[in-house]
Amino acid sequence: MLSKRSFLVALSLSFATLAAGSAMAQSQLDDIMKAKVLKIGVPTDYPPYGFVGPDLQPMGLDIDVAKLIGEKMGVKAELVPVVSANRIPYLQTKKVDLVVSTLGRNEERMKIIDFSVAYAPFYQGVFALKTTNIKSFDDLAGKTVAVTRGAMEDEMLAKVAPPTTNVKRFEDQAATTAAFAAGQTDVIATSVSNIGVLAQKNPSLGVEYKLLLRDSPCFVGIAKGEDALRAKVNEILLAAKADGTLEKLSQKWLKRGTGDLPL
């Protein structure tokens, strides 16, 4: 049994730990507001969410959302290009304060980072040429599939593809798409938006949707435990949802509305 003195010491340490934890939880937002700079990881290889425009500057839905958050916080939005494989490590090592990069939420990711409310619709699927017979995931057996390393579709494909599927992983969406378009793989696992751009650039290719991997709206990624920053981002996104800003951005870039975005 603890003595009275030991109990008081333990209690003091507990309060000190809680106080330190609270200060740390708010430190990133404090640092951002003090520096007046918000570093945001964004895609530049994933149209229409993020790509390089004619003026060589990043543009797209994620870029507009990133700039909106910076504007509403009253700080400069410093955009940092990321790819699927490094966007979460960049967040964990504080190379960026936020990730606005078609980031889907799942249980595994929720163990290592936090998420805002959803800001845009998104889904991933399996696509192939019209002449390729694929009716179920069993039909992927023996076929080569292009996928971007670390992307949501990579994780989902690993759960449903037969063991004899030849999965070829590439470091970014541009390389994944180029490999499929060049005929290096039979199938591509990617987003519907990415395949739309591919079909526009290569109308004679005859690519079509085959199977759904996941319906996965986009969330802003935030470092674990940065509750004050997460609350601020949520405040901005919920206001943008209420006044129709998110709907306008979705119509502008995706040519369809946001639908029912999850909290």
Side-chain angles (χ1 to χ4, degrees):
M1 180 179 292
L2 290 176
S3 66
K4 182 177 181 180
R5 182 178 180 183
S6 297
F7 173 76
L8 291 174
V9 170
L11 187 63
S12 298
L13 289 172
S14 296
F15 280 128
T17 301
L18 287 173
S22 178
M24 288 178 64
Q26 297 184 29
S27 64
Q28 193 168 11
L29 178 60
D30 293 340
D31 290 346
I32 292 166
M33 301 310 294
K34 183 178 180 180
K36 295 292 183 184
V37 176
L38 176 65
K39 294 178 289 185
I40 309 174
V42 296
T44 56
D45 66 332
Y46 214 59
Y49 291 87
F51 57 101
V52 178
D55 60 354
L56 303 182
Q57 297 299 311
M59 61 187 300
L61 190 152
D62 284 354
I63 311 304
D64 283 353
V65 171
K67 290 180 178 177
L68 173 70
I69 294 172
E71 177 187 338
K72 295 299 182 182
M73 289 179 65
V75 300
K76 176 186 176 184
E78 182 177 302
L79 304 182
V80 179
V82 296
V83 296
S84 295
N86 69 17
R87 52 190 174 174
I88 290 179
Y90 269 34
L91 194 60
Q92 293 176 303
T93 56
K94 298 191 181 301
K95 290 183 178 179
V96 297
D97 301 307
L98 302 174
V99 168
V100 184
S101 180
T102 61
L103 192 60
R105 183 174 65 185
N106 62 31
E107 291 185 3
E108 289 301 313
R109 289 176 175 174
M110 290 174 68
K111 294 176 182 176
I112 55 176
I113 65 171
D114 287 334
F115 292 88
S116 70
V117 298
Y119 65 87
F122 190 86
Y123 76 86
Q124 297 96 344
V126 169
F127 304 83
L129 302 185
K130 294 178 180 178
T131 53
T132 304
N133 183 30
I134 296 176
K135 301 296 184 184
S136 71
F137 287 106
D138 289 340
D139 292 329
L140 296 179
K143 293 184 172 60
T144 54
V145 183
V147 68
T148 300
R149 187 186 310 278
M152 181 68 78
E153 50 268 25
D154 186 14
E155 298 175 22
M156 298 307 298
L157 186 68
K159 297 178 180 178
V160 297
T164 55
T165 305
N166 182 12
V167 178
K168 291 191 173 182
R169 294 181 171 85
F170 299 87
E171 296 305 316
D172 56 48
Q173 289 291 341
T176 303
T177 305
F180 173 73
Q184 297 176 20
T185 66
D186 305 309
V187 179
I188 181 171
T190 188
S191 71
V192 65
S193 59
N194 191 46
I195 214 68
V197 174
L198 173 64
Q200 281 185 338
K201 292 181 178 178
N202 303 272
S204 62
L205 200 57
V207 62
E208 68 176 15
Y209 164 80
K210 298 293 187 182
L211 303 168
L212 177 67
L213 283 172
R214 186 181 175 88
D215 191 1
S216 174
C218 304
F219 300 79
V220 176
I222 303 160
K224 200 71 178 174
E226 297 293 348
D227 296 337
L229 179 56
R230 182 165 60 90
K232 187 64 180 177
V233 171
N234 281 343
E235 175 188 319
I236 293 168
L237 293 179
L238 290 173
K241 182 179 180 180
D243 68 13
T245 299
L246 294 185
E247 177 70 17
K248 290 178 182 176
L249 291 178
S250 184
Q251 292 288 355
K252 174 185 176 182
W253 292 108
L254 306 179
K255 310 305 180 189
R256 64 187 180 112
T258 59
D260 294 326
L261 295 174
L263 298 177

